């Protein structure tokens, strides 16, 4: 795994900052290092395959890195975010005298 040490280090930092729930769960279950190594191996395998098919190393890296190492940020779901106030639930009415002529 020394070959992937930079990728693993960078992915660990990314996961901790942008995927805190997943990171904590993996850490709690004792599989964080294993998951990081698997992500690095999968990234390497796909980059290698793409390079063998004629894609440049940089292009291959750009195409693959977000599939395993730099996953999209977790979305935070807050009930407060999805709870509307009475004013937000009220139907929208615009007085006719304030309407804009669209012609």
């Amino acid at each position: 795994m020394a070959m992937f040490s930079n990728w693993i280090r960078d992915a660990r930092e990314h996961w901790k900052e942008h995927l805190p729930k997943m990171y904590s769960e993996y850490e709690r279950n004792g599989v964080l290092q294993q998951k990081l190594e698997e992500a690095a191996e999968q990234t390497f395998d796909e980059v290698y395959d793409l390079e063998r098919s004629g894609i440049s190393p940089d292009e291959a890296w750009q195409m693959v890195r977000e599939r395993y190492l730099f996953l999209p940020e977790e979305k935070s779901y807050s009930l407060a975010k999805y709870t509307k106030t009475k004013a937000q639930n009220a139907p929208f009415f615009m007085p006719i005298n304030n309407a804009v002529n669209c012609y």
Side-chain angles (χ1 to χ4, degrees):
M1 281 303 123
M3 180 173 154
F4 302 133
S5 61
N6 289 341
W7 286 0
I8 290 171
R9 182 198 65 233
D10 292 346
R12 180 187 307 273
E13 291 171 9
H14 176 82
W15 292 7
K16 189 172 188 176
E17 181 178 345
H18 299 286
L19 301 150
K21 292 176 187 172
M22 183 183 83
Y23 182 93
S24 295
E25 182 179 332
Y26 286 166
E27 194 172 45
R28 187 173 43 256
N29 293 327
V31 297
L32 178 61
Q33 186 64 31
Q34 173 192 339
K35 295 293 186 180
L36 288 162
E37 290 172 4
E38 288 172 1
E41 288 173 10
Q42 289 172 310
T43 300
F44 176 81
D45 290 345
E46 284 196 33
V47 167
Y48 179 76
D49 289 344
L50 288 168
E51 287 178 18
R52 288 190 56 205
S53 73
I55 295 176
S56 76
D58 188 52
E59 285 178 297
W61 167 248
Q62 295 295 326
M63 292 169 68
V64 175
R65 67 184 182 170
E66 292 178 358
R67 289 186 191 158
Y68 307 105
L69 297 174
F70 303 111
L71 302 169
E73 189 167 353
E74 287 175 349
K75 295 183 172 145
S76 59
Y77 296 100
S78 165
L79 286 178
K81 185 177 179 180
Y82 296 102
T83 304
K84 293 183 176 181
T85 65
K86 287 183 182 180
Q88 290 172 316
N89 287 326
F92 177 74
F93 295 104
M94 180 171 36
I96 292 179
N97 58 353
N98 287 342
V100 176
N101 188 347
C102 298
Y103 299 105

